[in-house]
Amino acid sequence: MYGIGILKGLWVTLVHFVETFTEDFRWIGRKRYYSEEGVAARRSKDAKGIFTVQYPEEKLPVPEEFRFIPFLVYEVDEEGNKHDRCTSCGICAKVCPPQCIWIVRTEDPVTKRPVPEPVDFFIDVDICMNCGYCAEYCPFDAIKMDHDYELASYDRHAEHIYNKEKLSKPVEYYASIRPANYTREEAVKAAEEAKKAEAAAAKAAAAAATAQASGGEQAAS
């Protein structure tokens, strides 16, 4: 019969409407709205009644692999000096499909040879397609994908062409938004460093053995 589908839809809406208020009574004493607990309950499979969030006051948490625009990672030494991981090799700019990355390389004023640290680094965040190729191909783990997706503004040219200062964030920030990735990368680095140290020790031991054997032959002759 015509209209049955409409009535079923209205019934579902009515059930959600009533359950929203019954759930509000069940949550008396706890914050069902504007709290992490409330958002988690409304996005669970057992949610009843209203299951939307009141954006921008409420925001859904993003998964670790969520990616938006890239950012540059820097490290701070014991003396408080910042060190960019970026060496301005330019691989990120070459693999970028929409070509939204510009790098200004540093040059030694005396030798005119390139210095592995960019003077400036620009990304047009309106052109960026959030593909993550720049982060994937970076050989120095210097560029990562951010979780910050609230970039809207009224002036595209003044606000949406990010420079090095605006793009740079400490390695601790990267570890906080992508803890599993950071831990895995640090483990790989530690394993590589241990392998290099082991190879260097073996090479030094072989050189010492060769020198000792050579000294023994000279003494015998």
Side-chain angles (χ1 to χ4, degrees):
M1 181 182 293
Y2 294 110
I4 293 296
I6 295 176
L7 292 176
K8 287 182 177 178
L10 289 173
W11 175 253
V12 170
T13 303
L14 178 63
V15 170
H16 279 300
F17 180 76
V18 174
E19 285 183 341
T20 296
F21 289 99
T22 57
E23 283 295 299
D24 283 346
F25 280 111
R26 205 168 64 83
W27 274 70
I28 288 178
R30 295 182 293 166
K31 291 190 68 173
R32 190 180 181 213
Y33 303 99
Y34 312 116
S35 69
E36 292 185 7
E37 182 189 13
V39 171
R42 271 179 283 146
R43 65 196 296 263
S44 74
K45 63 180 178 59
D46 300 322
K48 293 182 179 178
I50 189 172
F51 50 82
T52 54
V53 296
Q54 313 297 314
Y55 183 84
E57 290 80 9
E58 294 179 324
K59 297 170 188 172
L60 292 175
V62 296
E64 177 167 342
E65 297 302 332
F66 175 85
R67 62 173 188 261
F68 209 61
I69 65 163
F71 67 94
L72 298 174
V73 179
Y74 70 82
E75 298 178 0
V76 180
D77 62 21
E78 295 178 351
E79 298 177 352
N81 300 314
K82 294 181 180 178
H83 298 283
D84 298 318
R85 284 186 176 183
C86 177
T87 64
S88 62
C89 67
I91 292 177
C92 54
K94 290 179 182 175
V95 300
C96 176
Q99 295 291 286
C100 67
I101 299 176
W102 296 272
I103 303 173
V104 182
R105 291 187 168 91
T106 305
E107 187 180 73
D108 189 291
V110 178
T111 63
K112 302 300 180 184
R113 299 185 65 179
V115 176
E117 186 173 330
V119 175
D120 217 333
F121 198 110
F122 298 96
I123 294 180
D124 190 327
V125 299
D126 284 343
I127 297 178
C128 176
M129 55 190 284
N130 321 117
C131 65
Y133 276 16
C134 53
E136 185 176 341
Y137 279 91
C138 179
F140 305 102
D141 287 331
I143 187 165
K144 301 293 181 184
M145 303 305 290
D146 208 344
H147 284 180
D148 184 13
Y149 54 84
E150 295 180 309
L151 309 178
S153 72
Y154 291 102
D155 191 337
R156 159 184 164 42
H157 295 289
E159 302 292 338
H160 290 188
I161 299 178
Y162 283 24
N163 60 11
K164 180 183 167 186
E165 181 181 1
K166 203 167 182 179
L167 288 168
S168 296
K169 296 185 178 181
V171 67
E172 290 79 10
Y173 173 77
Y174 170 57
S176 68
I177 64 170
R178 296 180 183 271
N181 287 344
Y182 174 76
T183 303
R184 183 174 61 249
E185 290 168 7
E186 290 300 306
V188 170
K189 286 181 184 176
E192 289 177 352
E193 291 296 324
K195 194 174 180 180
K196 286 181 182 177
E198 186 178 348
K203 188 177 180 181
T210 302
Q212 187 176 6
S214 176
E217 289 176 0
Q218 288 179 358
S221 62

